Amino acid sequence: MATEAPDPKTFTSWQAAFQYPIPAVRRMEAQLRGDVASGREKVRGLVGASYRDLLGTAESIVEMDETMRNVEKNLGILGRGCGARAVEVLVLADRERYAFASQLAVLQRCPLVITRLLRKRCSTLLAAKVLVISRLLYKSLAQGNGTPPFLDNLRLQLGSLRRKLLAHIDRRFADSNTGTNALVEAMCAFSLATSSLPKDVLRHFLHVRQEMLTVRLEKGGGGDGSVLVALRVYIRTLQDTQAVFPKRLAESLAKMKAQPLLKDADVRGLMELSLDVHERWIADEVRNFTPWVRDEDLQKTEAEKVLTEWARKAFAAFIGGFKKILESVEDLKELVQLRKKLLETWLSADSRSPGLSSSEVLDGLRAAINGQLGRVIRSRVDRLDLIGSEITGVIERWRPGLTDVHPSLWDQSMTSMEVSNGAAAFKQAILGRSHGRNEAVLRVLERYNLWSRSIEEVEHVIQGLKDTKWDVDLETDEDDELELDSKQALLSEDDPRELQEGFQKALGKALRDLENQIQEFAGSFAPEEKAQQAMFVLRVVREIRHRLRKHYETVRVGPVIVHDFQQMVVESVLKDPIRTFDRAMEKRSRTGRVVTRALWEGTPKLPVQPSPTVFKLLHGTVSAMAEAGSDIWSPDATDVLKKQLRANLLILLNRSLKPKSMDDKVNGIAGEEKEEDEPNGLNRPMIATNGDDGDTDWNIQLLFDASFIQKATMTNLETGEGGFNALVEKIHLEDGSLVRLHKAAEGYWKRTSLLFALLA
């Protein structure tokens, strides 16, 4: 097997090839010859491709050389045409055309710049500067020849933007939260845009603030927010004016006059205007324009004079609008809260109003609020007349047997009433029925309770004013006439005292009017229902007096008019008992018989108990009183009844006396006294039971009845004989016997008075 030829590529030297046999060497030779031929073909292909590329490159170099020659030729021609002398000739020929084009370009971009500044709420002063530049450019273009037709459209557009700018400035002026720096900037913008003097700027600023104050008061509704905002606008206007005028504004205007508008850094920073390109073509009068304002026009004294005049007018307008808003506020708590907020706002502002002292402003606020508080209080107090109207309505709609019905304490509704949870409803029902509070009375009392609660709120409000402490941090100026202590006394003592006095005065007037209204009811009572309606009025008046005493110890209602209604009730109650008594006495007087004669005691024999007719009279009277309602019989009403009962009985008893007078020497009493001198009473005369002696017994019994009635009808304020002395004089009775008779009548009344509890 032949040995394989090695790879010649692995040899490190040519000598290594001859270490192999000759056949191997020949094979290596053949291999190498083949590799050489292959490499030669590859090199031949590469050289041919590169040669073609070299030929293309050479052609490109020749073309570039020719092009460069042409460029150098053209640049030479341009260089010769752009010489200084040639350019100057061209500029002088077309300057007018270039200036017109540059100014028109800047003018067309000015509205866009102003619109952007206003829309993004940027500097109003910068917008005013651009507006002035645009007006100057328009003027310069309008003076030239060949004015384009769209220039008038630009003029109209600039006029509209000027109005928008001024409206934007006015909004800055009207906003009381605008800072001092922003306010000064807006004032400079207004002065620049309108060519106004500082005095005109001040007047316009104050005019805008007053309009803002008026709008707040007119369109703010009944809430306290509008009033507080209006007062803050007033205070802030005083502070801003004193801070800005005249020094701050004069300094800002002086800075604005320091350089031309087109040299202003803010104006040059507006890329839309391209001033770096167009400035050289702008007319000199535009490029060199510098604002000129007489900043020395407004002196400090004159500024204070203008502000003083405004402060008085604005405060008067504020008070007028404030009062109109207060007219719609009827809530006392809301008024008090508004009072506190307003006074705190003014006092804590530490503001001094030129032309108005702090006390004048404070007094103006107090007068407005206290006036409305007084009107609301009087309005609430005057609602007491609704109670009289309610009483009138009940009387006009009176239905016997329905309106005057009084449920009994022993109705089934009472006995079956729930008594859980402390039996509050049960207790209330007992009190209501025992005091005669039927549906008609409760309806009136419900109206009264509504009025009473509103009056209690008045008391709480006044007390709250007294308790308010005005010890906020107040920096009082040395020349301020109102120190903190005096403010505390003024707001927490004088104002509540004034309201309290007005409240008491209004309450007294309202109660007097109610008395007059109730007194007029007496003439409108139906005759057949007069007593029931009078009792209804008495119950209402009693409830009102009871509740008034609870809160207003110095106020009373009805002490005079009540007597008239009590008299009506007494006449009705006594009508039947007196008529029955009169008939019974007339019947007994005809017989002349003394039923209780056998029960007489003592020596001489005297009555020890009243006649049955008198007893029945008192019993009938008490029954009629109970039927009318025990709650009616107050001590005053009982005294009226006692006096009326005694007066009627005095007439009847005097009329029932027998005509025969009793002589001390011949009457039965004298005979009985002689009995003691006669042993065994043999010669003792007997008191007759008929004839003249019967009349004597009748008169003596009448005297006892009269004494008994005197004791029963004696009021707490009476200590005398109560009108029965005339009867005693007609019946001649010895003093000792008369004393015995009176004592016996008094003792019998003490023993039986509980039977007549309503009279006792």
Side-chain angles (χ1 to χ4, degrees), residues 534-535 538-539 542 545 549 558-574 621 625 628-646 712-716 758-760:
M535 285 188 283
L538 284 175
R539 289 187 172 100
R542 180 196 64 210
R545 293 178 66 180
R549 292 192 190 100
V560 177
I561 62 173
V562 164
H563 178 78
D564 298 335
F565 294 102
Q566 289 173 343
Q567 189 67 37
M568 296 179 190
V569 176
V570 166
E571 290 175 358
S572 175
V573 167
L574 293 180
T621 301
M625 293 171 67
S630 59
D631 61 294
I632 290 293
W633 304 108
S634 63
D636 293 339
T638 304
D639 289 346
V640 173
L641 182 137
K642 287 180 178 181
K643 293 177 181 178
Q644 184 68 28
L645 177 61
R646 186 193 312 153
T713 59
M714 183 175 294
T715 64
N716 294 329
L758 291 176
L759 277 176

Side-chain angles (χ1 to χ4, degrees), residues 335-631:
L335 282 172
V336 171
Q337 291 175 357
L338 178 58
R339 172 183 183 268
K340 183 176 178 62
K341 291 178 182 178
L342 280 176
L343 295 180
E344 284 181 346
T345 300
W346 173 254
L347 294 176
S348 61
D350 192 25
S351 176
R352 297 184 60 82
S353 176
L356 290 173
S357 64
S358 178
S359 61
E360 288 179 317
V361 176
L362 193 61
D363 290 343
L365 296 175
R366 289 174 52 239
I369 300 176
N370 291 347
Q372 181 62 15
L373 281 172
R375 284 190 291 273
V376 173
I377 290 174
R378 288 192 297 272
S379 174
R380 292 196 175 192
V381 172
D382 290 342
R383 292 175 190 169
L384 187 63
D385 61 356
L386 297 178
I387 299 173
S389 301
E390 187 68 31
I391 297 174
T392 303
V394 172
I395 294 175
E396 290 176 351
R397 298 187 300 270
W398 192 273
R399 298 178 63 186
L402 293 177
T403 308
D404 55 354
V405 66
H406 293 276
S408 173
L409 281 173
W410 310 107
D411 283 351
Q412 185 177 359
S413 59
M414 284 290 295
T415 57
S416 60
M417 186 173 290
E418 181 65 35
V419 292
S420 59
N421 298 325
F426 182 69
K427 296 175 183 176
Q428 191 66 29
I430 291 177
L431 288 174
R433 298 193 179 195
S434 61
H435 286 81
R437 297 171 187 162
N438 61 358
E439 183 178 352
V441 175
L442 290 176
R443 190 158 58 246
V444 177
L445 291 183
E446 182 179 0
R447 176 80 68 176
Y448 173 81
N449 290 333
L450 292 175
W451 176 83
S452 180
R453 284 193 290 270
S454 67
I455 296 304
E456 288 178 3
E457 184 181 358
V458 171
E459 286 190 320
H460 293 322
V461 166
I462 294 177
Q463 186 61 41
L465 294 180
K466 295 178 181 178
D467 297 338
T468 302
K469 301 299 181 182
W470 299 92
D471 53 356
V472 294
D473 295 334
L474 301 177
E475 298 179 0
T476 306
D477 295 337
E478 294 181 358
D479 57 345
D480 190 356
E481 66 275 14
L482 283 178
E483 300 295 338
L484 182 58
D485 293 339
S486 62
K487 292 174 182 176
Q488 179 69 35
L490 192 67
L491 301 177
S492 297
E493 295 179 12
D494 294 351
D495 288 351
R497 185 187 307 112
E498 179 183 349
L499 293 175
Q500 183 68 36
E501 292 174 355
F503 168 62
Q504 290 292 341
K505 183 178 179 181
L507 183 61
K509 180 180 180 298
L511 291 175
R512 287 192 297 272
D513 293 341
L514 180 61
E515 284 185 347
N516 297 332
Q517 201 172 2
I518 293 175
Q519 196 168 13
E520 294 174 357
F521 295 154
S524 62
F525 290 162
E528 61 277 6
E529 302 297 334
K530 181 165 62 174
Q532 293 296 330
Q533 293 175 351
M535 285 188 283
F536 162 72
V537 174
L538 284 175
R539 289 187 172 100
V540 171
V541 172
R542 180 196 64 210
E543 296 294 337
I544 293 176
R545 293 178 66 180
H546 173 71
R547 286 162 173 75
L548 280 174
R549 292 192 190 100
K550 185 176 181 180
H551 301 289
Y552 319 111
E553 297 181 354
T554 60
V555 182
R556 294 290 184 268
V557 61
V560 177
I561 62 173
V562 164
H563 178 78
D564 298 335
F565 294 102
Q566 289 173 343
Q567 189 67 37
M568 296 179 190
V569 176
V570 166
E571 290 175 358
S572 175
V573 167
L574 293 180
K575 182 178 180 181
D576 290 340
I578 291 295
R579 186 189 302 119
T580 302
F581 178 77
D582 187 21
R583 292 174 181 173
M585 287 298 295
E586 184 178 355
K587 183 177 179 181
R588 285 183 52 213
S589 179
R590 286 197 299 269
T591 62
R593 182 168 175 268
V594 180
V595 180
T596 59
R597 178 64 179 82
L599 300 177
W600 289 16
E601 297 178 357
T603 304
K605 298 279 187 185
L606 291 175
V608 293
Q609 66 182 30
S611 61
T613 307
V614 172
F615 195 89
K616 290 179 180 179
L617 168 66
L618 296 182
H619 181 268
T621 301
V622 172
S623 299
M625 293 171 67
E627 184 178 355
S630 59
D631 61 294

Side-chain angles (χ1 to χ4, degrees), residues 10-249:
T10 60
F11 295 163
T12 58
S13 65
W14 62 271
Q15 290 88 350
F18 297 100
Q19 294 178 1
Y20 297 92
I22 294 175
V25 172
R26 289 187 180 278
R27 284 193 295 273
M28 288 189 291
E29 177 185 7
Q31 182 180 357
L32 289 173
R33 288 184 182 278
D35 292 339
V36 168
S38 176
R40 184 169 55 249
E41 290 297 328
K42 290 182 180 179
V43 169
R44 184 177 297 139
L46 291 174
V47 170
S50 299
Y51 181 72
R52 287 191 295 271
D53 292 341
L54 288 174
L55 291 177
T57 302
E59 291 177 357
S60 298
I61 291 173
V62 173
E63 291 177 358
M64 289 177 61
D65 180 64
E66 184 178 357
T67 302
M68 288 299 297
R69 292 176 184 275
N70 293 330
V71 169
E72 289 178 354
K73 180 181 179 180
N74 292 332
L75 288 176
I77 295 172
L78 290 175
R80 289 190 297 272
C82 292
R85 185 179 300 274
V87 171
E88 185 177 355
V89 171
L90 293 174
V91 168
L92 290 175
D94 297 335
R95 180 179 184 83
E96 218 176 282
R97 182 167 56 88
Y98 294 154
F100 181 83
S102 294
Q103 291 182 122
L104 184 60
V106 175
L107 178 59
Q108 286 178 322
R109 295 172 185 176
C110 283
L112 300 177
V113 173
I114 297 173
T115 302
R116 178 180 63 81
L117 292 175
L118 294 180
R119 185 176 64 251
K120 294 185 177 181
R121 299 181 181 276
C122 298
S123 171
T124 54
L125 180 57
L126 181 56
K129 290 177 179 178
V130 176
L131 179 65
V132 172
I133 292 173
S134 64
R135 289 190 307 194
L136 294 172
L137 290 172
Y138 171 80
K139 182 180 179 181
S140 176
L141 292 174
Q143 291 175 352
N145 297 325
T147 303
F150 60 84
L151 196 61
D152 290 335
N153 294 334
L154 288 176
R155 178 179 59 83
L156 297 176
Q157 190 175 1
L158 290 175
S160 175
L161 289 174
R162 179 179 182 273
R163 290 189 294 271
K164 290 182 179 179
L165 174 61
L166 294 178
H168 189 78
I169 294 173
D170 285 348
R171 286 194 293 272
R172 288 281 182 91
F173 285 169
D175 187 3
S176 60
N177 295 322
T178 302
T180 304
N181 293 332
L183 195 61
V184 172
E185 181 185 83
M187 290 180 178
C188 291
F190 179 81
S191 177
L192 185 61
T194 60
S195 302
S196 299
L197 299 177
K199 184 190 300 183
D200 301 326
V201 175
L202 174 59
R203 293 185 184 278
H204 181 72
F205 169 69
L206 295 178
H207 173 72
V208 171
R209 282 292 176 90
Q210 183 161 356
E211 283 188 344
M212 181 62 183
L213 187 148
T214 304
V215 168
R216 285 290 184 181
L217 291 174
E218 290 180 351
K219 299 183 179 180
D224 59 355
S226 60
V227 179
L228 290 174
V229 170
L231 181 60
R232 292 191 184 104
V233 168
Y234 178 78
I235 295 173
R236 188 59 186 269
T237 303
L238 299 177
Q239 296 172 344
D240 289 342
T241 305
Q242 292 171 342
V244 172
F245 291 93
K247 185 176 180 181
R248 287 284 297 273
L249 181 61

